[in-house]
Amino acid sequence: MARMADVTVAEEEYLQTLFWLQEAGLPMTGANVARAMQLSPPTVHEMIGRLERDGYITRAGDKSISFTDSGQGHAEGIVRRHRLIERFLTDVLGIPWDEVHEEAERLEHAMSPVLEERMLAAIGDAKTCPHGHPIVAGTRIEGVPLADVAEGASITVLRFENEAEELLHYLKTTGLEPGLEGTVSGHDDGDVVVSAGDRTITVDGTIAETVSVVADPSPEPRVALPEQLVISRDRYGR
């Protein structure tokens, strides 16, 4: 088994994607990894085999993937660093939240424990990344897709499940952001319309599938289907 220190950047990218699938409640399969990373099935199959040989995952007879203890720990670590960097870039350096995901992708693999501690101190009591995902694994609040919420229900936006940068740019232009409180005022020609104070926010219905909210009254919880989340030319983000 490889030592954790020997994990490569490529392996970290796959572990991060698998963690994203697990956290979102989507099946951890090679097909979903290929979808998420916008890679060919043969390329993904080769890397999944490598992750298994190196002791980070196991595969069942039905091709479903599970983390080993070491794989789970390392996946949580890379995701934590990614979300911490995003929060630091937004809160401390003042970079808009729709521009930090790809920057964090570049920085997360070379981050030292000392720098991680300094960043944690700098962000204060922030518990999520700017897109609403918990920095510490296991503290995710369950939500429902905005697309499912009935007219008249009050909502609080929890997070954006897909962090592909072009989608974040779109969501920023609508005025929707994590923490926003409002009321679903209607569904118009496939769009979801939200009233928030004196603002009217209109979100494409397909993209509303990827926005998790707390709603009152709430629809039944469900996991958005993978094909509804892969609606970007970019790979879908973690």
Side-chain angles (χ1 to χ4, degrees):
M1 182 183 295
R3 293 184 299 110
M4 296 308 285
D6 292 336
V7 68
T8 66
V9 169
E11 285 179 319
E12 287 187 334
E13 288 290 322
Y14 276 78
L15 290 173
Q16 190 177 22
T17 298
L18 284 165
F19 182 88
W20 186 89
L21 292 170
Q22 179 189 68
E23 190 179 48
L26 298 169
M28 293 168 66
T29 63
N32 278 347
V33 171
R35 262 205 200 96
M37 299 186 76
Q38 305 278 303
L39 294 172
S40 70
T43 298
V44 171
H45 180 76
E46 180 180 352
M47 179 59 81
I48 292 298
R50 181 169 151 190
L51 289 172
E52 187 174 30
R53 289 192 300 274
D54 286 351
Y56 301 123
I57 64 167
T58 59
R59 283 185 288 184
D62 64 357
K63 308 293 187 184
S64 63
I65 297 167
S66 300
F67 284 122
T68 62
D69 288 346
S70 60
Q72 179 79 35
H74 200 79
E76 290 179 0
I78 189 68
V79 170
R80 181 180 67 250
R81 293 194 297 275
H82 176 93
R83 294 172 179 173
L84 170 60
I85 292 167
E86 288 184 326
R87 177 56 72 182
F88 178 83
L89 293 175
T90 302
D91 289 12
V92 180
L93 299 188
I95 299 174
W97 57 255
D98 61 326
E99 298 178 10
V100 296
H101 181 73
E102 294 303 322
E103 195 63 49
E105 285 281 315
R106 289 186 280 271
L107 295 172
E108 66 197 19
H109 304 288
M111 188 174 179
S112 70
V114 171
L115 184 55
E116 185 173 349
E117 287 302 315
R118 296 288 176 87
M119 283 190 178
L120 278 169
I123 66 169
D125 61 357
K127 298 293 190 290
T128 69
C129 79
H131 314 122
H133 296 267
I135 293 172
V136 176
T139 58
R140 177 181 165 103
I141 299 170
E142 291 307 314
V144 295
L146 174 60
D148 290 2
V149 179
E151 182 176 346
S154 61
I155 63 160
T156 301
V157 177
L158 285 175
R159 62 186 161 265
F160 302 141
E161 300 293 357
N162 189 336
E163 295 176 86
E165 196 153 278
E166 67 175 280
L167 292 187
L168 294 180
H169 292 331
Y170 167 81
L171 288 162
K172 185 76 180 291
T173 65
T174 68
L176 208 65
E177 60 185 13
L180 180 134
E181 297 180 353
T183 302
V184 173
S185 54
H187 294 260
D188 180 24
D189 195 26
D191 293 338
V192 180
V193 183
V194 175
S195 298
D198 59 355
R199 292 185 294 155
T200 298
I201 297 169
T202 302
V203 184
D204 176 274
T206 305
I207 294 175
E209 289 275 356
T210 72
V211 177
S212 286
V213 302
V214 173
D216 184 21
S218 179
E220 287 296 314
R222 72 173 174 90
V223 175
L225 298 174
E227 55 265 29
Q228 293 171 318
L229 290 175
V230 187
I231 56 178
S232 168
R233 291 188 300 274
D234 300 341
R235 57 185 184 167
Y236 55 135
R238 284 81 58 210

